[in-house]
């Protein structure tokens, strides 16, 4: 029987992989035999993630401390991965942040920070991986993690810089897919809805937000751990050869109404 999601021997670089959705997606890939390069700014957290991945899935893990707002660090990281593994097959651009405040009160620094991390950081990592690994190999899978807020506005949590940055990620995905298709590289984006992470737990646990979510999400609940796994595996796998430039909402239907 054919295994469409066999990643044995492949290497996935996952940013923002010190907790939350980044770790969940890394586990999904590792469960199918993919070697993992977890990237984040906190090395002690990365070491914990690496130990767990090795113990649970038996894959090779190379944790690297990297600030994706630094081109020099990003390029050095990609070159370190190539020196160690000889390849980068998959990139999951998951690192992000989120400033919540009324638009009229957002500072220039907050807006700039959001763009540097969520949008420019995504571009930096994709650019380096494509230039140094994927274009020479004639193969690659780039998965950018945007948000359903990159597709729509919202009335519950004002976050205009986040919406702008994630909307930029959605169209950056289309632009890179159009440019890099000739190299055998697909570029897609996932737009998650409300999932529990260390950054969202306090908000999602609040009664007012739970009431709001129940009223606006057709499935009437938040996303559960593991409900991004199949989307990540599909877009990262050789099975998605003819799928590129798309934005996949995994949001319980939030963006369909």
């Amino acid at each position: 029987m054919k295994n469409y999601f066999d990643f044995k021997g492949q290497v996935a670089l996952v940013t923002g992989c010190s907790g939350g959705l980044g770790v969940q997606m890394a586990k999904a890939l590792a469960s199918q035999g993919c070697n993992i390069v977890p990237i984040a700014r906190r090395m002690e957290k990365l070491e914990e993630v690496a130990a767990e991945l090795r113990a649970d899935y038996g894959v090779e893990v190379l944790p690297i401390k990297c600030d994706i707002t630094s081109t020099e660090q990003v390029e050095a990281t990609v070159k370190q991965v190539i020196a160690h593994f000889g390849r980068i097959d998959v990139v999951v651009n998951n690192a992000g942040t989120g400033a919540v405040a009324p638009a009229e009160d957002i500072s220039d620094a907050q807006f700039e920070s959001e763009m540097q991390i969520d949008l420019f950081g995504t571009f930096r990592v994709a650019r380096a991986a494509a230039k140094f690994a994927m274009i020479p190999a004639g193969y690659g899978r780039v998965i950018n993690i945007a948000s359903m807020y990159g597709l729509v506005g919202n009335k519950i949590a004002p976050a205009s810089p986040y919406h702008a940055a994630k909307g930029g990620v959605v169209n950056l995905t289309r632009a890179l897919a159009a440019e890099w298709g000739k190299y055998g590289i697909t570029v897609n984006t996932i737009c998650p809805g409300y999932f529990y992470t260390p950054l969202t737990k306090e908000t999602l646990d609040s009664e007012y937000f739970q009431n709001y979510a129940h009223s606006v999400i057709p499935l009437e609940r938040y996303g559960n751990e593991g409900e991004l796994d199949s989307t990540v595996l599909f877009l990262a796998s050789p099975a998605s050869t003819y799928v590129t430039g798309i934005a996949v909402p995994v949001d319980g239907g939030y963006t369909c109404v």
Side-chain angles (χ1 to χ4, degrees):
M1 185 170 65
K2 184 174 182 179
N3 179 2
Y4 287 97
F5 299 146
D6 183 2
F7 289 88
K8 288 184 178 64
Q10 291 200 17
V11 175
L13 187 155
V14 183
T15 73
C17 199
S18 59
L21 298 183
V23 174
Q24 291 179 33
M25 291 183 285
K27 287 180 177 179
L29 290 162
S31 74
Q32 302 303 308
C34 193
N35 298 315
I36 305 295
V37 180
I39 301 296
R41 290 177 294 181
R42 295 175 294 173
M43 195 63 191
E44 69 280 2
K45 290 286 187 182
L46 289 174
E47 292 288 7
E48 292 174 12
V49 171
E52 186 177 359
L53 291 171
R54 293 184 190 111
D56 291 350
Y57 305 105
V59 297
E60 189 171 354
V61 186
L62 179 66
I64 302 177
K65 180 180 178 180
C66 177
D67 182 348
I68 64 168
T69 65
S70 165
T71 296
E72 291 74 18
Q73 288 188 37
V74 168
E75 291 190 350
T77 294
V78 166
K79 290 175 181 178
Q80 183 178 342
V81 177
I82 295 169
H84 184 86
F85 287 107
R87 61 196 294 168
I88 298 174
D89 303 279
V90 179
V91 166
V92 180
N93 269 313
N94 170 70
T97 185
V100 177
E104 63 272 22
D105 296 327
I106 290 286
S107 69
D108 289 0
Q110 286 175 304
F111 202 94
E112 174 70 19
S113 174
E114 201 84 38
M115 293 296 163
Q116 280 290 338
I117 296 170
D118 288 11
L119 181 54
F120 200 176
T122 292
F123 177 69
R124 283 188 189 93
V125 176
R127 176 180 63 188
K131 183 174 183 177
F132 298 115
M134 293 178 176
I135 291 174
Y139 177 87
R141 296 284 182 268
V142 177
I143 303 170
N144 298 324
I145 308 303
S147 167
M148 65 185 187
Y149 282 178
L151 302 172
V152 295
N154 91 93
K155 294 182 70 175
I156 188 70
S160 53
Y162 185 77
H163 285 262
K166 292 302 191 180
V169 169
V170 169
N171 215 38
L172 173 65
T173 296
R174 297 185 184 111
L176 297 180
E179 282 195 47
W180 293 344
K182 63 187 177 184
Y183 301 118
I185 301 170
T186 66
V187 188
N188 295 290
T189 186
I190 299 173
C191 299
Y194 298 128
F195 283 82
Y196 276 107
T197 71
L199 291 177
T200 65
K201 187 177 187 308
E202 183 178 351
T203 299
L204 296 188
D205 277 343
S206 65
E207 184 178 356
Y208 86 95
F209 208 93
Q210 289 179 348
N211 291 335
Y212 166 78
H214 190 271
S215 69
V216 297
I217 300 172
L219 292 185
E220 299 184 347
R221 63 174 176 84
Y222 301 142
N224 294 319
E225 183 171 343
E227 288 190 315
L228 285 175
D229 291 4
S230 58
T231 307
V232 170
L233 290 175
F234 170 66
L235 294 177
S237 78
S240 60
T241 306
Y242 208 51
V243 178
T244 195
I246 66 166
V248 184
V250 184
D251 63 2
Y254 183 100
T255 54
C256 79
V257 295

